[in-house]
Amino acid sequence: WLMSMTDLIHRLMTIFSYLGQIMVVMFLPAYLFWDVSFPWLGVAILIVAPFINALLQLLLSRIREYDADYTAAMLMGSSRPLALALHKVSHDEPYMLRKFFVPQEEQKRASILQTHPKTETRIKKLLAMKIPENIPKMF
């Protein structure tokens, strides 16, 4: 629900930004030929706001991934099985097959542009997690 709402806000912000930019272009002749003041700070905000919103949405996605790991560990009563499963999934794929189907994997993206945290970081956080003893275990 939260990620759906952030996506909706991002889409609306992008639409309003485009509409604002179109209005700026429409009123540009008034600025050039008549003595009309123009809110340049507002124009800069119209241009930059969707990008900042997208970065915040990516950050929230990474935070929610850690939250999902924590909730899964709490339900299981231990974080070790989830850490082992993450390790197995990330290291047991056939390298050549993955290289054939995903040739751009070698390129590194900036961590701020990733939707999920690195698997190694998730495993380290899971193994360092302390589960309270009074939580009822489901499995």
Side-chain angles (χ1 to χ4, degrees):
W1 180 84
L2 181 64
M3 293 308 292
S4 296
M5 289 304 296
T6 58
D7 184 51
L8 176 67
I9 290 169
H10 174 70
R11 289 172 191 258
L12 289 174
M13 185 177 288
T14 303
I15 289 170
F16 288 139
S17 174
Y18 287 148
L19 289 174
Q21 291 174 30
I22 289 170
M23 289 176 63
V24 166
V25 170
M26 288 175 53
F27 287 104
L28 199 57
Y31 174 74
L32 294 174
F33 298 118
W34 297 292
D35 190 23
V36 177
S37 64
F38 216 69
W40 291 108
L41 180 63
V43 173
I45 290 172
L46 281 174
I47 294 170
V48 174
F51 299 112
I52 292 174
N53 191 313
L55 291 176
L56 290 174
Q57 191 175 9
L58 291 172
L59 175 67
L60 181 63
S61 177
R62 289 190 300 274
I63 291 171
R64 296 281 297 162
E65 192 70 27
Y66 286 129
D67 189 40
D69 289 345
Y70 178 76
T71 303
M74 294 296 275
L75 286 173
M76 294 182 71
S78 173
S79 60
R80 189 157 178 76
L82 184 58
L84 291 173
L86 281 173
H87 179 73
K88 183 172 178 78
V89 167
S90 67
H91 288 84
D92 285 355
E93 297 176 19
Y95 179 75
M96 290 306 289
L97 189 61
R98 184 173 65 194
K99 179 107 171 126
F100 177 73
F101 285 112
V102 189
Q104 290 85 13
E105 187 176 353
E106 301 300 322
Q107 299 173 356
K108 301 288 183 189
R109 288 195 297 175
S111 63
I112 197 169
L113 299 176
Q114 294 178 346
T115 58
H116 288 69
K118 292 183 180 180
T119 307
E120 295 84 21
T121 309
R122 288 176 64 193
I123 292 171
K124 286 178 186 175
K125 283 190 177 228
L126 280 167
L127 292 176
M129 186 183 298
K130 303 287 189 235
I131 305 293
E133 293 297 323
N134 58 355
I135 301 290
K137 295 169 181 57
M138 293 194 68
F139 300 102

